[in-house]
Amino acid sequence: MYRLNSNLTTKHMYIPMSSPDLNEVDRQAVMDVLRTSELSQGDKTVAFEQAFQKLTAAKHAIAVSSGTAGLHLCVRAAGIHTGDLVITTPFSFVASSNVLLYENAIPVFVDIDKDTGNLDPALMEEAIHDLIQGGKKVQRWIPRKGAEHKRDLKALLPVDVFGQPADYEVIQAMAKAHELTIIEDSCEALGSTYKHKPAGTFGELGVFAFYPNKQITTGEGGVIITSRDDLADYIRALRNQGRSPGDTWLQHTHLGYNYRIDEMSAALGAAQMQRLDELVSNRQKVAAWYTERLSQTARVRSPFVSPETTRMSWFVYVVQLDPAIDRDALARNLEAHGVPVRPYFLPIHLQPYMVERFGYREGDYPVTEEIGRCGLALPFSGIMTELQVDYVCSVIREELKDSH
Ligand SMILES: *Cc1c(COP(=O)(O)O)cnc(C)c1O
């Protein structure tokens, strides 16, 4: 049992965990599609893809039905097969690892930097060296079980966590030295930049996602970017039931999927992309309100933004609590005051199906586990008002006043 803090003086409000930022132009764009009969594979998809070519200067942008579908196609396009090893992070949304499991590849988890939450570059270098040298040192990196048919290290799959790009200077140098493909999971980082270059552009393949809590939304959707013609052709075919250019509707060169986006979603996405700068600066404004107000609260640490992150597009606002704070009790009390919060992330290696398949245990990735134990996502969107941020921060302050 817990009790509401009876000292709470602030007037009660209800704050949503996240909200899409939609305007009348966005809504009209969807309605306009519904007045045509072109509901799939039409001009809106092309326009949406062009917005990504323009943003990233990538040669190809390929819109798909979700970020997860996009990552899965990247894994296929990179030629990742059964037993191939791929270095990735256990501190992410599960999709970044799941797409490897879909192809029976083996994720090699590397622990994270405690400040950014991204792959620790020094540890990643160690992992790459050990895996390439072979021998006994390999055992340190591969799972206890489920890796009996392991093959060689094939690719790196970094995640730009919470909107902050990973350390690409190191990642790109390692990839180049060892001929590894980089698949950048930029599903949380649309609009961010690393050393003034857009997130999503640091590998052969990059992926964005548009679930309603992301920087832009299409309801469900994703985009893959690449500058490699061969990968783009193959991905376009796989997206469309394996049809290569020249195939008819019932000819399928490859084993493919229906990972197409529909025209209503693409139209919404194209309209949202026209406002990307505005959407990102709204998120930056809300994040700055939080950071300013929370700077007074010693036991709550605001997110760290690395100097290399030259623009942060803020997917979520995740604070680190003092480990002495009972996070679950705090979360219940905040929710009771109309402030929903979420623990972020439950580490991927400790999800039940991962434990069962690979035999992971608590303690395997200590930084991920610690950051995951103390991380709390606060309500966040680009349309939050200053009053709402004030309310959330004052409820947090008052709740922490008499907790130990
Ligand atoms: C949102 C997200 C995805 C993709 O999600 P979908 O819901 O499939 O669009 C992938 N990776 C990360 C890290 C994400 O946050």
Side-chain angles (χ1 to χ4, degrees), residues 58-215:
K59 197 164 168 199
H60 305 280
I62 304 144
V64 290
S65 53
S66 72
T68 307
L71 287 166
H72 184 201
L73 294 187
C74 291
V75 169
R76 286 280 313 266
I80 293 167
H81 301 298
T82 300
D84 286 337
L85 305 180
V86 179
I87 288 184
T88 191
T89 169
F91 189 70
S92 172
F93 181 63
V94 288
S96 56
S97 292
N98 285 354
V99 295
L100 299 172
L101 272 58
Y102 297 165
E103 297 302 321
N104 295 306
I106 300 166
V108 172
F109 289 130
V110 167
D111 213 347
I112 56 169
D113 175 275
K114 70 173 176 23
D115 294 322
T116 62
N118 279 321
L119 274 176
D120 181 326
L123 268 183
M124 192 191 62
E125 285 198 61
E126 264 181 65
I128 292 172
H129 283 133
D130 289 350
L131 291 168
I132 285 181
Q133 269 171 13
K136 266 194 172 153
K137 286 183 150 182
V138 171
Q139 298 310 319
R140 177 177 166 200
W141 302 101
I142 60 160
R144 285 183 187 83
K145 62 175 204 181
E148 294 77 14
H149 303 292
K150 76 174 163 53
R151 299 173 19 158
D152 292 336
L153 180 61
K154 190 88 174 236
L156 308 176
L157 201 163
V159 177
D160 301 333
V161 88
F162 303 157
Q164 177 144 254
D167 190 340
Y168 286 106
E169 194 170 307
V170 178
I171 294 171
Q172 287 184 327
M174 296 305 288
K176 195 164 171 212
H178 302 289
E179 291 177 50
L180 303 168
T181 305
I182 300 174
I183 299 172
E184 180 180 356
D185 181 344
S186 212
C187 289
E188 301 190 353
L190 174 62
S192 287
T193 61
Y194 170 84
K195 298 184 178 175
H196 305 286
K197 270 194 75 190
T201 62
F202 297 97
E204 281 79 5
L205 296 151
V207 182
F208 300 106
F210 317 118
Y211 189 74
N213 63 348
K214 310 267 176 173
Q215 288 87 345

Side-chain angles (χ1 to χ4, degrees), residues 232-238 240 242-248 251 253-254:
D233 289 348
Y234 188 52
I235 287 170
R236 284 204 181 89
L238 294 190
N240 187 25
R243 296 179 187 104
S244 277
D247 281 352
T248 64
Q251 284 180 314
T253 301
H254 310 284

Side-chain angles (χ1 to χ4, degrees), residues 325-343:
I325 295 173
D326 180 344
R327 180 177 64 174
D328 295 341
L330 175 65
R332 282 194 304 269
N333 288 356
L334 295 177
E335 301 226 13
H337 287 296
V339 177
V341 289
R342 242 174 238 163

